[in-house]
């Protein structure tokens, strides 16, 4: 009798790569890579800076090309209607010394792509990193993800060059997805802004461009200990790295997550409760109507000289998709402090996370560092109104400093925005912290980062730094 051929079934891949944890652990343990020795990295980065013409100059608003203040609203807008706008925000919350406030804010509804490409060489995963110039970086050139682009950039609204390696992150099937999540940007300066954070493993040959280099996770972790080297976008993508090593559990015992002070269910319940009880009132308003802010020829400033200012710059960057442009930037007044207070509980490192309300958040509350502020903005207030734990992290005699580096914030939108980034271990910090704070393990934070809008960008930077310490990724 004739036989009927069954339709060919597609080959299905496992939902999770069972060997990924071990592969990431091997990469984290590899202090040298196939392309570049870690001790040669600084010379390589300096050479990439010399290879191109870079420059940033402050200019009056009147010299902005394509940007102008809208005659009705006073909003700072681009003639294309794309990129971003600087508008006003009227906000209020239910706790803290600042219950109601007004400020300029960046409105950029586009979802950008922050993507790192991975590939295995000699049995070790390497990651393709880019020497990228951003006009707001204090040293201009820093290590960035393989792809760092807004939708306006990669759809070429600026009529510039193609974004290199973009296809791996927008074309399904070009590689194996290791991590993929929507994450928030700075809730104090962006209005409900998200980026897609991705790590994709290439399945084909990927020749590196001159401004790109392959580094192991171990090399990147070493560079995270250096000031102003690994940019904010790279740090947030690195925080999305899946768990590896000791975090995932071994034959020697249960995973770190199983030995946390609070179970994952208890942590999620507490966080949901914080979102439910806290209030955030945020409304976009015309920039011209924002009280307390004054527009001059060169900047928009707060009348008390605090917080930040809006400025304009002219940029030369021969290595970018467009070689010359002008744009607004936010410039903070003073350096920030971003810190986790840590302690060991039952032998396991925990960090004290803060459920923060920020005016630009999509969902009221996200988990932030123990301390996240610009100290100078609080100097005029009574001690009782200063951020909790600020004095502890600023006085190294009161705690053991486990991590200490200066990192810059988003160089594409913020000018000279630096944060003193710290992890300080203080074993006498109470197990029962103030309301709004919770002890969590780095493994628990990493689990929450797999979902969008749970962990803010500053805490994600610290999570990447904990990984560099050997505490957040293994």
């Amino acid at each position: 009798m004739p036989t009927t051929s069954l339709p060919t079934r597609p080959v299905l891949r496992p939902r999770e790569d069972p060997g990924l944890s071990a592969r990431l652990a091997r990469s984290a343990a590899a202090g040298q890579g196939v392309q570049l020795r870690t001790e040669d990295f600084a010379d390589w980065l300096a050479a990439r800076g010399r290879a191109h013409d870079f420059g940033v100059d402050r200019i009056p608003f009147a010299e902005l090309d394509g940007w102008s203040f809208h005659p009705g609203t006073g909003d700072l807008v681009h003639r294309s209607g794309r990129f971003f706008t600087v508008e006003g925000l009227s906000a209020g919350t239910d706790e803290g010394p600042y219950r109601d406030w007004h400020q300029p804010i960046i409105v950029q509804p586009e979802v950008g792509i922050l993507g790192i490409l991975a590939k295995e060489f000699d049995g070790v995963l390497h990651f393709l990193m880019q020497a990228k110039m951003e006009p707001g970086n204090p040293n201009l050139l820093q290590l960035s993800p393989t792809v760092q682009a807004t939708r306006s950039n990669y759809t070429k609204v600026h009529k510039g060059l193609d974004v290199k390696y973009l296809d791996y992150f927008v074309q399904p099937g070009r590689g194996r997805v290791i991590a993929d999540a929507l994450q928030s940007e700075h809730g104090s300066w962006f209005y409900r802004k998200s980026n897609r954070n991705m790590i994709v493993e290439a399945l084909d040959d990927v020749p590196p461009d001159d401004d790109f280099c392959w580094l192991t996770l171990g090399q990147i972790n070493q560079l995270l200990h250096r000031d102003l080297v690994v940019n904010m976008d790279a740090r947030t993508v690195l925080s999305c790295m899946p768990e590896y090593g000791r975090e995932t559990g071994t034959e020697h015992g249960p995973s770190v997550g199983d030995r946390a002070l609070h179970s994952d269910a208890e942590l999620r319940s507490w966080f949901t409760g914080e979102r439910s009880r806290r209030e955030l009132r945020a409304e976009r308003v015309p920039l011209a109507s924002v009280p307390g802010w004054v527009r001059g020829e060169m900047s928009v400033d707060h009348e008390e000289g605090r917080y930040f200012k809006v400025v304009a710059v002219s940029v030369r960057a021969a290595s970018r998709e467009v070689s010359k442009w002008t744009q607004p930037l936010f410039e903070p007044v003073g350096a920030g402090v971003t810190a986790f207070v840590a302690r060991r509980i039952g032998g396991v490192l925990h960090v004290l996370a803060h459920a923060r309300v920020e005016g630009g958040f999509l969902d009221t509350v996200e988990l932030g560092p123990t301390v996240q502020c610009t100290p100078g903005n609080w100097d005029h207030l009574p001690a009782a109104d200063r951020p909790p734990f600020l004095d502890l992290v600023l006085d190294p005699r009161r705690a053991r400093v486990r991590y200490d580096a200066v990192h810059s914030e988003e160089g594409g939108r913020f000018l000279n925005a630096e944060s003193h980034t710290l992890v300080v271990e203080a074993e006498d910090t109470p197990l029962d912290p103030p309301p709004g704070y919770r002890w969590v393990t780095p493994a628990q934070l990493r689990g929450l980062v797999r979902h969008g809008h749970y962990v803010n960008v500053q805490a994600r930077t610290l999570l990447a730094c904990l990984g560099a310490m050997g505490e957040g990724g293994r």
Side-chain angles (χ1 to χ4, degrees):
M1 294 181 62
T3 58
T4 302
S5 299
L6 294 175
T8 302
R9 292 178 178 271
V11 177
L12 300 179
R13 295 175 179 171
R15 296 183 66 181
E16 298 288 347
D17 179 356
L20 181 59
S21 172
R23 297 170 71 213
L24 291 171
R26 281 197 300 273
S27 184
Q32 300 294 348
V34 297
Q35 180 184 349
L36 187 66
R37 298 189 309 167
T38 310
E39 55 265 35
D40 295 333
F41 173 81
D43 291 339
W44 176 82
L45 188 66
R48 299 322 308 157
R50 293 191 298 271
H52 305 288
D53 177 33
F54 294 138
V56 178
D57 298 303
R58 295 173 186 262
I59 58 174
F61 289 125
E63 293 183 14
L64 284 168
D65 181 15
W67 295 86
S68 62
F69 290 99
H70 188 276
T73 64
D75 295 344
L76 189 50
V77 300
H78 192 265
R79 64 187 170 209
S80 67
R82 300 290 294 275
F83 300 112
F84 62 94
T85 59
V86 179
E87 303 179 17
L89 183 76
S90 174
T93 187
D94 57 317
E95 292 181 5
Y98 298 110
R99 301 291 179 95
D100 297 281
W101 72 94
H102 297 80
Q103 66 170 90
I105 199 160
I106 298 170
V107 179
Q108 187 175 353
E110 302 176 343
V111 176
I113 291 178
L114 306 178
I116 295 179
L117 196 61
K119 186 169 176 59
E120 194 169 282
F121 296 97
D122 298 335
V124 178
L125 275 175
H126 288 62
F127 300 88
L128 189 60
M129 308 299 289
Q130 179 183 180
K132 188 178 182 69
M133 183 272 194
E134 292 287 354
N137 289 341
N139 52 349
L140 294 186
L141 201 65
Q142 293 188 16
L143 200 63
S144 84
T146 317
V147 168
Q148 177 183 320
T150 65
R151 182 178 294 273
S152 290
N153 289 146
Y154 66 78
T155 58
K156 299 199 288 188
V157 172
H158 49 46
K159 298 180 173 61
L161 300 175
D162 291 334
V163 176
K164 296 180 176 70
Y165 307 106
L166 178 67
D167 287 351
Y168 287 97
F169 303 95
V170 298
Q171 290 187 6
R174 282 302 305 271
R176 181 184 294 111
V177 176
I178 293 176
D180 190 354
L182 284 178
Q183 302 291 356
S184 61
E185 287 215 33
H186 295 73
S188 296
W189 291 338
F190 279 106
Y191 183 76
R192 299 183 178 180
K193 175 74 172 71
S194 298
N195 279 322
R196 190 177 181 185
N197 287 227
M198 303 180 70
I199 304 172
V200 174
E201 183 178 359
L203 305 177
D204 54 2
D205 291 333
V206 186
D209 184 89
D210 289 342
D211 290 319
F212 293 73
C213 65
W214 290 106
L215 299 172
T216 68
L217 185 54
Q219 290 180 292
I220 296 170
N221 285 342
Q222 291 180 58
L223 297 176
L224 277 166
H225 287 273
R226 303 183 186 181
D227 293 347
L228 303 176
V229 171
V230 181
N231 81 353
M232 186 217 76
D233 300 286
R235 300 191 306 267
T236 181
V237 178
L238 291 168
S239 76
C240 299
M241 194 77 69
E243 299 171 350
Y244 59 91
R246 289 196 304 269
E247 277 190 345
T248 58
T250 69
E251 69 275 13
H252 301 296
S255 71
V256 170
D258 293 335
R259 294 182 285 129
L261 178 63
H262 304 285
S263 71
D264 292 348
E266 290 169 341
L267 176 61
R268 288 192 298 268
S269 178
W270 169 80
F271 182 72
T272 302
E274 289 296 303
R275 276 190 168 169
S276 300
R277 78 173 183 86
R278 298 300 308 277
E279 296 179 10
L280 173 64
R281 305 174 299 278
E283 178 185 4
R284 291 159 59 183
V285 298
L287 182 61
S289 71
V290 174
W293 293 80
V294 181
R295 189 177 105 195
E297 292 183 4
M298 298 290 292
S299 60
V300 177
D301 302 83
H302 190 266
E303 60 187 4
E304 295 178 351
R306 296 193 180 95
Y307 312 119
F308 63 92
K309 57 182 68 176
V310 184
V311 299
V313 295
S314 174
V315 185
R316 302 188 316 278
S319 63
R320 293 288 299 268
E321 293 82 14
V322 174
S323 60
K324 293 182 180 180
W325 72 92
T326 64
Q327 69 169 94
L329 290 171
F330 277 25
E331 182 179 26
V333 178
V337 172
T338 301
F340 268 142
V341 172
R343 65 166 293 178
R344 294 195 176 273
I345 303 172
V348 176
L349 188 77
H350 286 64
V351 296
L352 191 57
H354 181 203
R356 291 180 53 87
V357 175
E358 297 183 19
F361 279 162
L362 179 66
D363 202 357
T364 308
V365 164
E366 294 190 17
L367 288 182
T370 318
V371 174
Q372 176 191 318
C373 70
T374 300
N377 291 337
W378 300 83
D379 285 346
H380 64 293
L381 295 177
D385 288 335
R386 286 166 61 82
F389 305 101
L390 176 60
D391 293 336
L392 171 64
V393 302
L394 292 181
D395 185 355
R397 297 170 299 178
R398 300 177 60 188
R400 176 189 174 201
V401 177
R402 294 285 311 279
Y403 180 91
D404 187 346
V406 175
H407 292 302
S408 63
E409 305 302 331
E410 169 56 72
R413 297 291 177 265
F414 311 137
L415 180 63
N416 298 325
E418 298 182 10
S419 290
H420 190 188
T421 306
L422 296 157
V423 177
V424 295
E425 195 166 344
E427 295 300 332
D428 58 349
T429 309
L431 287 179
D432 185 18
Y437 293 81
R438 203 70 158 185
W439 289 107
V440 302
T441 67
Q444 288 179 310
L445 274 182
R446 196 173 289 280
L448 293 176
V449 167
R450 299 179 70 177
H451 311 282
H453 302 283
Y454 274 70
V455 181
N456 80 354
V457 68
Q458 289 88 351
R460 296 198 306 273
T461 275
L462 279 162
L463 186 55
C465 298
L466 285 163
M469 294 164 47
E471 296 284 1
R474 54 180 180 147

